[in-house]
Amino acid sequence: MMLRRYHDRPAADEQPDGPPPPSGDDNGNGPDNIERPARSASKVDWVAYAVALGAEQADAEQLTRDQLAEQYGSEG
């Protein structure tokens, strides 16, 4: 026999709209502890990091590695 548990569900206005926004930390890590690449890392690494921070893939690929490092690599 299978038992079901019934739980009160929060009202629709109490449910979050989505996941919380990403937050960085003081160690240069982005959301969810994504490690920032070294400034000398490949462009591919910088594009992946920028996308992980919310950039559009196509937009990130149009920038140079140095531009990506400048825009997404700041210590904040």
Side-chain angles (χ1 to χ4, degrees):
M1 182 162 93
M2 193 170 169
L3 299 177
R4 294 185 182 183
R5 294 183 184 205
Y6 293 95
H7 300 281
D8 290 335
R9 292 185 176 191
D13 61 347
E14 294 177 12
Q15 293 181 351
D17 293 329
S23 62
D25 63 21
D26 293 335
N27 295 324
N29 294 326
D32 299 324
N33 294 324
I34 298 169
E35 189 173 336
R36 183 179 61 230
R39 186 144 180 111
S40 61
S42 70
K43 179 179 176 179
V44 172
D45 290 339
W46 276 106
V47 168
Y49 182 69
V51 169
L53 294 179
E56 292 293 327
Q57 179 87 25
D59 294 338
E61 288 175 350
Q62 290 180 352
L63 300 173
T64 67
R65 182 197 67 187
D66 291 337
Q67 289 171 325
L68 289 163
E70 182 68 29
Q71 186 168 349
Y72 296 98
S74 65
E75 303 259 341

